[in-house]
Structures are given as structure tokens and as C-alpha cells.
Amino acid sequence: MQTPSHPVDERLPIFKLFALGMQHVLVMYAGAIAVPLIIGGALNLPKSEIAYLISADLFCCGLVTIIQSAGIWKFGIRMPVMMGVTFAAVGPMVAMANNPSLSILHIYGAVIASGVFCILASPYMSKLMRYFPPVVTGTVITVIGVSLMGVGINWAAGGQPVIGKLVDGVFVKIPNPDYGSPLSLSIAAIVLVSILLITKYTKGFISNISVLMGMVVGFVIAFALGKISFTGLDAAEWFAFIKPFHYGMPQFDIASIISMCLVMIVTMIESTGMFMALGDIVGKKVDDKTLARGLRVDGLGTVIGGLFNTFPYTSFSQNVGLVGVTGVRSRFVCVAAGVILIAFGLFPKMAHVAASIPQFVLGGAGIVMFGMVAATGIKILSKVDFQTNRNNLFVVAISIGVGMIPIVAPTFFDKMPHVLGTIFHSGILLASAMAVILNLFFNGRGSQEDVARYAVAAAQSSDH
């Protein structure tokens, strides 16, 4: 008899793959196109070039997602992971864009170099797995979920309180007049309630696409109320080929490369937490070799981004929450989503339609999905011994407190050296570092039993 394959390797019918893949795409779409909009504006690029950056980004999102989920040689974690541009890189790249001695070519040079650095460093980062027992992983994953809740809440309110807008070719920030409008909040609530009703009263495939169905309900209501705009759809091209080095050959600046390498260290630490959260959700052990394969794709994706005129890539945590909500663990769903993203990049009219979905429609879904990530962290913490080892309470309490600083007090570290901004403005990184340090202080490197259990898990994956 054949041993049944793990649900992660399940191959679903084409129609189900497309519907479930589209669900993943719609969840991450707003985040995927945000960075090209910001960097394009900071560089004072014309609207046509910003549109090209978005197409290039979607194309690379799809390509890197396929590599991560399907796996190629030593690259790819082979789990349902969606890849997108990391927001951790926005600060350094905007600083480069505002430096008159640097150009977009220096940004791409730094992106490519930092990607190579990430590929080379990933095996060493993966060796840190023994320092992430449940008390650390549960804390980090909880902070990831709490950090993301701000995104979902802002979506429900209609976007960010302050928005960026191109005015006469200059990217400026203005208050969002529609933020928190009763209409936005009402439709977000309807989407949320729809997802809960579909989840409770349906089964099988329909239940699995509850998030997509909830967004469809919200989209239909918004369209009926005249809140959907397809302006610019006629002007969008049917096909746009994405060619490498569109702006010329990359140029390399040492200071820019160092700052982007720092970003990639942050990205690898955040990705480690997300991969562990996903492993717990899908029921598949993430050992050091599996983690190294996943982190290598962060680096490879970043190199691909630099070649194809876009930016550093990382796993998108909002889609980890979607896996938890739907219960669909097949990695081929994300492979299908990658194909859809490539099509969006090559066929701008398709991307334009998806971009027309209002953020308040995404908001109701975001609250469910991001809350699911936090709930996964709490589930892991429930396995931690707090009765006989009260020190674990200090690990969790202080780490979550420190991780909350950038969320509740965004200007807390503003007087620290600017070069450290990438570190201090990442609640996930602060929580991770604090949890690891406190666990080492109170519990050491783990008991011999813990180390043995880790070694067994690593040995079981030695064939990968």
C-alpha cells in the first residue's frame, strides 16, 4: 500500500486551484502593489513608469511564489507561501531615492547584492532553529498576528489615515477624507459576517473559499453603491512584456548595499517566524534544512526582483492567516496563485480590475485572517509549561511588550541613530530578539531532551 501524501502535497482539480489561488491573490494584492507606488512616487517617476513597476512587481511576485511553493533544487520551502515585496525595505529605498547622488540603478544594485547575501547567509540563519522553542515561537507568532491586525483594521476603515498621492509628479501625504466612514465600516462588517456565516453553514469547497465569497459579497454591495471605479481600464494595455534591466545596468554603492543587507537580516528573522507559524498550521515540521530552503528563496526572489526592475521579496504573512482560516493546506494552491500573478503582470487590464477592489472590502477578511495568526501563536503558547517554570511568563510578557512598542508608539525610537531604524521599527524583530535572549537567560539553550528532539526532526528531513 502507498503511504498517503501529506495534505501539503495534495493536488486539487483545476477549478478549485483557480478559485483558491485567486483568493490568495486578492488577499495580498493591495500589499503587493503598495511598495512600487511608494518608491515610484519617491523617484518622481511618471504614471506610466509607476504602472510598469507594478506590472514588474506582480510578475516577480508570481514567479517567486511558484519557486517557493513548488520548490526547485535547494530553493523553496514547499508549503503554501505567497511572496511579495517586503515593507522593511521601504525606508532605506526611499532614503536612496531622496539622495541626489543616487539613482534607481543604485537601488537595483543594492537589491541584487543583498539578495546574494541572503542566499549565502540562509544556511547559517537556519541553524538558529534550536533557539526557537515553543515559548519563543508562540510569542513571535502572536506578535506577528497582533502587528498585522493594524493592517486589517485600517483596511476596514478604508485605507490608511494618511495617504500618498501624486500631485504634479510629486509624491505627497494628505489626510484620507474617507477614513473611518460609516459606509466603509458597514461593508467591512458585512464581509466579516458573511465569512462567518459561510464558514458555519456550508461545507467542503464553498467553506474553503469563505474569504473569497465574503469579498465577493462586499464587492457586489460596493459596486451597487457606486463605490467601484474602473477608471483607466480602457487605457491599460492588454499585454506588457517585462524585460530585465529596463532602466539600465545596476550600479553598486557600498553604503546602500549595507543598508539593504540589514533589511534582509530583518526579513530572514521575520520569515523564520512566519514559516514556523505556517508549519504549525499545516502540520508539517519546519526543521533547519526546510527553513534554509525557504530563506534562500527570500534571497533568490530579491535577486530576481533587482534584475526585473522591482524590489526585495519575502513571505506574506496575511496569506499564512488565510491558510488557517480555510484549512486548505495544498501548496499547489499558491502555485496556481503564482500563475495568476504572472498573468496580472503580463496583462495589465486583469491587474487593473483586481486593483479596483476597495480596501474596506478587504478589511472584514483581514480581521479574520490576521486574528487567526495571533490565535495560532496563542495555541502554541498553550503547550508551554507555565506552572512549574514561571520564568516562561517573563519571556512572554516582556517580549510581547517590547514587540508592541512600534505599534502603539511609532515615534518611540525616532531619536535613535537613523541607520538602526529598520531594526527598531520592526515589532516582530524586537519581539523575536527579546524572546530568544530572555529564553537563553532563563532556560539556557534547552534541555538535552529538547536538543535530541530537534536532532531527530532534522534527521527525518535529511532526504530533502
Side-chain angles (χ1 to χ4, degrees):
M1 293 179 62
Q2 290 184 336
T3 302
S5 61
H6 193 280
V8 164
D9 300 314
E10 182 184 4
R11 296 177 182 269
L12 302 174
I14 294 296
F15 173 75
K16 288 187 177 181
L17 282 177
F18 176 80
L20 293 166
M22 181 62 75
Q23 186 171 236
H24 271 285
V25 169
L26 295 179
V27 164
M28 59 90 69
Y29 191 90
I33 67 174
V35 175
L37 283 171
I38 295 170
I39 304 303
L43 289 165
N44 295 320
L45 296 178
K47 186 175 181 180
S48 59
E49 289 301 316
I50 293 178
Y52 180 83
L53 287 182
I54 292 174
S55 293
D57 177 37
L58 293 172
F59 174 82
C60 290
C61 279
L63 181 59
V64 180
T65 294
I66 292 172
I67 295 172
Q68 183 71 280
S69 298
I72 299 175
W73 190 45
K74 293 186 177 182
F75 294 88
I77 199 167
R78 295 168 174 84
M79 291 199 294
V81 175
M82 296 296 295
M83 302 292 290
V85 176
T86 173
F87 280 86
V90 169
M93 289 193 296
V94 169
M96 289 181 233
N98 293 331
N99 188 332
S101 64
L102 302 176
S103 69
I104 193 171
L105 297 178
H106 291 93
I107 292 178
Y108 291 139
V111 168
I112 292 171
S114 64
V116 173
F117 164 78
C118 181
I119 294 173
L120 297 176
S122 57
Y124 302 99
M125 289 294 296
S126 67
K127 298 297 182 184
L128 300 177
M129 281 294 293
R130 66 178 296 157
Y131 299 104
F132 286 82
V135 68
V136 174
T137 58
T139 301
V140 172
I141 294 167
T142 301
V143 171
I144 291 174
V146 173
S147 300
L148 287 170
M149 285 303 295
V151 176
I153 290 168
N154 281 328
W155 279 355
Q160 295 295 322
V162 178
I163 58 176
K165 189 174 183 180
L166 280 174
V167 179
D168 297 327
V170 179
F171 195 76
V172 297
K173 291 185 176 181
I174 59 174
N176 184 350
D178 295 324
Y179 185 83
S181 71
L183 179 63
S184 298
L185 299 180
S186 298
I187 295 178
I190 290 172
V191 172
L192 172 59
V193 171
S194 298
I195 292 171
L196 296 178
L197 292 175
I198 293 169
T199 301
K200 179 175 175 61
Y201 293 110
T202 65
K203 296 181 179 180
F205 177 65
I206 298 299
S207 178
N208 291 338
I209 59 169
S210 59
V211 173
L212 177 60
M213 296 295 290
M215 287 192 290
V216 168
V217 171
F219 184 88
V220 170
I221 294 173
F223 182 79
L225 295 174
K227 294 298 181 179
I228 307 293
S229 173
F230 294 109
T231 303
L233 180 60
D234 292 338
E237 298 180 34
W238 280 105
F239 179 82
F241 182 69
I242 309 299
K243 64 178 181 179
F245 307 122
H246 174 74
Y247 297 100
M249 295 303 294
Q251 297 181 23
F252 300 92
D253 173 72
I254 295 298
S256 300
I257 291 172
I258 292 173
S259 67
M260 291 303 292
C261 287
L262 180 61
V263 167
M264 293 313 297
I265 293 174
V266 174
T267 296
M268 285 190 283
I269 293 173
E270 292 183 345
S271 292
T272 298
M274 293 172 195
F275 291 151
M276 290 187 296
L278 183 61
D280 190 77
I281 290 171
V282 303
K284 193 165 186 177
K285 179 70 177 179
V286 178
D287 53 51
D288 59 343
K289 293 183 180 179
T290 303
L291 179 60
R293 291 201 308 264
L295 295 178
R296 283 192 193 102
V297 178
D298 279 3
L300 178 61
T302 300
V303 172
I304 291 172
L307 297 177
F308 283 92
N309 324 294
T310 181
F311 311 109
Y313 283 86
T314 187
S315 55
F316 261 34
S317 47
Q318 53 260 55
N319 294 86
V320 174
L322 180 59
V323 174
V325 172
T326 64
V328 178
R329 295 180 277 178
S330 172
R331 59 193 171 104
F332 294 103
V333 168
C334 288
V335 172
V339 174
I340 294 170
L341 284 168
I342 290 175
F344 278 8
L346 296 176
F347 301 96
K349 283 189 182 293
M350 294 174 58
H352 196 95
V353 172
S356 301
I357 300 174
Q359 289 197 335
F360 53 76
V361 172
L362 297 172
I367 291 173
V368 177
M369 294 180 299
F370 304 155
M372 187 64 70
V373 176
T376 299
I378 295 170
K379 175 185 173 184
I380 295 172
L381 288 175
S382 69
K383 304 173 185 176
V384 175
D385 178 16
F386 293 111
Q387 296 296 323
T388 59
N389 185 356
R390 293 184 64 253
N391 291 332
N392 284 330
L393 288 170
F394 288 97
V395 176
V396 176
I398 298 173
S399 300
I400 291 180
V402 171
M404 290 293 291
I405 291 174
I407 303 171
V408 301
T411 60
F412 190 88
F413 292 115
D414 276 6
K415 293 187 178 180
M416 298 297 288
H418 181 71
V419 70
L420 300 177
T422 302
I423 296 175
F424 288 128
H425 287 92
S426 171
I428 299 170
L429 177 57
L430 290 175
S432 300
M434 186 59 65
V436 169
I437 292 170
L438 289 175
N439 181 63
L440 285 173
F441 175 71
F442 285 118
N443 302 322
R445 296 173 62 182
S447 66
Q448 286 301 115
E449 181 183 357
D450 292 334
V451 174
R453 190 160 49 241
Y454 173 82
V456 168
Q460 288 174 341
S461 65
S462 60
D463 58 329
H464 293 292

